[in-house]
Amino acid sequence: MPAQQKKLIFCTAGVLSLACALGTAAAVGTQLWVRGTTLCSTGALLVNASGPELHKFIGDIQYGLFSGQRVRQCGLGGRALQFSFFPDLLRIIPASIHVSVILFCTVLIVFALVGAGFFMFNAFGSPYETLHGPVGLYLWSFISCSCGCLIMILFSSEVKIHHLSEKIANFKEGTFTFKTHSEQFANSFWTILVCSLVHFLNALLIRFAGFEFPFSKSKDSGTVTGAVDLMY
């Protein structure tokens, strides 16, 4: 492939990696990871609410990795409450999973920036044969894509398996019991998915630029070198 086309491919991959790093950083700081509604089951059972009356007992909830907001509604009007995970909810949430999600988000941002730098270096500089060359580009893309997948798996298990929304809704509620009425992942969660797909696309761009997968290539080159040495 001509050098200009390789430069264009590396520039594209570098810009995509940089965009993923910035997008992940923005997603971490938002409250748009989960949106849903909660039902005040205690209040609804007390008045035997059904049909249109049931909407008076349905509140809203949304949260991210650090904070969120819930609207407590039990038939007497909604009341908005702000909350933060650290340190308010640390006792009731699966703290190890939640901290792991934040940690992998940090790793994803760092390696996306590193990958963007190496892509740009290969586009405008003289690439080395080790970490600056194809091996490094595959490595940074693989680590970033893996971190994105781990973030989605861990956060999904925290929300769905450990019923995170229900635990948040019932935080410091002694009289009323809330149940999850509806729940869906919001923009920030899907941003992580897009970033993971972008890093996988970057690995395909490296292959499209003409670089074989480095491990199989090194084995073949070693075999050819050994044969030439035997000839002399």
Side-chain angles (χ1 to χ4, degrees):
M1 178 177 291
Q4 291 296 329
Q5 293 185 18
K6 287 186 178 182
K7 182 180 294 187
L8 179 61
I9 290 175
F10 286 139
C11 286
T12 302
V15 171
L16 290 175
S17 295
L18 181 60
C20 287
L22 297 177
T24 304
V28 170
T30 65
Q31 299 180 4
L32 301 177
W33 283 72
V34 174
R35 283 178 174 170
T37 57
T38 56
L39 173 65
C40 181
S41 57
T42 304
L45 288 174
L46 285 175
V47 300
N48 196 20
S50 60
E53 297 178 350
L54 196 62
H55 290 283
K56 298 180 180 180
F57 298 89
I58 296 178
D60 298 320
I61 187 172
Q62 69 173 29
Y63 54 90
L65 298 181
F66 294 97
S67 61
Q69 177 181 340
R70 65 187 176 106
V71 178
R72 181 180 182 273
Q73 187 161 320
C74 289
L76 300 174
R79 182 163 62 93
L81 299 172
Q82 296 285 341
F83 61 87
S84 59
F85 284 91
F86 304 98
D88 297 343
L89 301 174
L90 200 58
R91 301 189 309 273
I92 65 170
I93 66 172
S96 60
I97 297 178
H98 199 77
V99 172
S100 297
V101 171
I102 297 174
L103 178 62
F104 281 117
C105 284
T106 304
V107 174
L108 175 57
I109 294 171
V110 171
F111 278 95
L113 290 174
V114 171
F118 280 118
F119 275 116
M120 291 301 181
F121 186 87
N122 278 270
F124 298 103
S126 299
Y128 298 115
E129 291 297 328
T130 54
L131 294 181
H132 292 74
V135 178
L137 297 180
Y138 280 118
L139 179 63
W140 312 134
S141 300
F142 174 75
I143 292 176
S144 300
C145 183
S146 300
C147 286
C149 294
L150 286 173
I151 291 168
M152 291 186 295
I153 293 172
L154 291 174
F155 190 75
S156 299
S157 66
E158 185 180 7
V159 173
K160 299 299 183 180
I161 298 177
H162 294 275
H163 307 289
L164 183 60
S165 299
E166 200 163 295
K167 290 180 179 179
I168 294 173
N170 289 283
F171 178 62
K172 291 185 177 179
E173 289 289 344
T175 306
F176 296 98
T177 301
F178 292 85
K179 292 185 177 180
T180 303
H181 186 261
S182 66
E183 188 179 54
Q184 61 272 348
F185 294 108
N187 298 340
S188 295
F189 179 85
W190 300 118
T191 298
I192 302 298
L193 174 62
V194 172
C195 290
S196 301
L197 295 177
V198 166
H199 289 298
F200 180 75
L201 174 63
N202 282 347
L204 296 180
L205 288 177
I206 301 168
R207 178 63 186 88
F208 183 72
F211 288 128
E212 298 289 345
F213 196 70
F215 304 108
S216 59
K217 185 177 180 180
S218 62
K219 182 178 179 180
D220 295 339
S221 61
T223 304
V224 173
T225 304
V228 171
D229 291 340
L230 290 175
M231 291 178 62
Y232 290 95

